[in-house]
Amino acid sequence: MLELFFKYPNEAGTDEAGRGCLAGPVTAGAIILPKKFSNPVLNDSKQLSELKREQLRPILEKEAVTFSVCHVFEEEIDKINILNASILAMHRALDQLKEPPSFILVDGNRFKPYPSISHQCIIKGDGKYMSIAAASVLAKTHRDAYMAKIHEEFPMYNWKKNKGYPTKEHREAIKKYGLTKYHRKSFRQLPEQLTLDI
């Protein structure tokens, strides 16, 4: 059973999606849930089916006190590395909340202090606290929608299905067609990276 609050009402949960992908942005969600929020389906987005995540998204967006989602794109990821880009995406999502949180709950164990608001990193937090789980659902669904959109431009990589993750199919397509503008050039795209003409 997920807890609603860690310390105080008005806490924001934040989480990211797409950190391990070869293509596309890293996407963060931030959300403040109301005091009496409850949803029996809500869980870590990785534990939910795509259908359940898509059903939860409008519920969370409607019931949230405030929420936001932010993408950090490939060029910036390549410039500052994926860990920094993930934290930057979370900071930018927090920046866009319509009211400031009393406290920030962060999924995972790495974060940079956010100006004037205390935070707590919680390993596997998306399976422990509702606001982190909700942020993970928003990040995942918004990123999936973006990947489905760019799939139309480059259907041979099948991003609609693999979402940019390093599946065998995705790597075979890279081998065959090379890299697109959406691929992260700083990532090891193929096991035999040296043979790939970037």
Side-chain angles (χ1 to χ4, degrees):
M1 184 71 182
L2 301 183
E3 301 280 338
L4 185 52
F5 298 118
F6 173 72
K7 278 190 170 182
Y8 325 97
N10 235 36
E11 288 170 348
T14 186
D15 196 7
E16 50 70 28
R19 198 162 150 178
C21 294
L22 303 178
V26 62
T27 304
I31 188 168
I32 297 175
L33 293 171
K35 284 181 186 135
K36 292 184 178 165
F37 180 81
S38 171
N39 187 295
V41 178
L42 182 60
N43 201 347
D44 166 12
S45 66
K46 294 182 287 298
Q47 305 296 322
L48 298 170
S49 67
E50 190 165 354
L51 176 66
K52 283 194 170 150
R53 286 195 300 266
E54 293 300 336
Q55 288 170 339
L56 274 168
R57 177 179 158 178
I59 295 167
L60 295 171
E61 292 180 354
K62 182 170 178 271
E63 294 196 27
V65 173
T66 177
F67 78 91
S68 74
V69 176
C70 177
H71 300 299
V72 169
F73 292 98
E74 312 74 34
E75 214 171 89
E76 213 165 356
I77 292 170
D78 289 335
K79 220 175 273 179
I80 64 174
N81 84 36
I82 189 59
L83 174 64
N84 286 325
S86 300
I87 293 169
L88 180 63
M90 290 192 267
H91 275 230
R92 284 182 182 164
L94 290 161
D95 288 344
Q96 290 166 24
L97 292 176
K98 292 204 166 69
E99 60 176 86
S102 55
F103 193 73
I104 301 163
L105 293 181
V106 184
D107 185 55
N109 61 353
R110 305 288 290 277
F111 195 64
K112 291 176 182 167
Y114 186 80
S116 72
I117 301 168
S118 300
H119 74 272
Q120 178 79 33
C121 289
I122 297 168
I123 293 167
K124 293 191 169 44
D126 46 6
K128 293 173 184 170
Y129 292 95
M130 282 190 195
S131 60
I132 302 179
S136 82
V137 168
L138 293 182
K140 178 82 178 120
T141 51
H142 279 261
R143 187 180 186 282
D144 285 358
Y146 177 84
M147 295 308 291
K149 196 171 93 184
I150 64 171
H151 165 90
E152 303 303 323
E153 205 178 330
F154 293 100
M156 61 283 250
Y157 298 91
N158 204 8
W159 291 330
K160 192 168 63 177
K161 187 181 172 205
N162 64 49
K163 312 298 194 274
Y165 281 92
T167 60
K168 188 168 184 253
E169 173 193 44
H170 190 184
R171 287 202 148 126
E172 288 300 323
I174 292 169
K175 220 180 265 187
K176 190 172 177 184
Y177 304 106
L179 299 181
T180 67
K181 61 186 177 183
Y182 297 113
H183 281 98
R184 302 173 184 177
K185 309 300 188 287
S186 59
F187 274 48
R188 189 176 175 188
Q189 299 284 344
L190 295 174
E192 61 279 19
Q193 184 78 58
L194 292 175
T195 65
L196 180 65
D197 181 20
I198 298 177

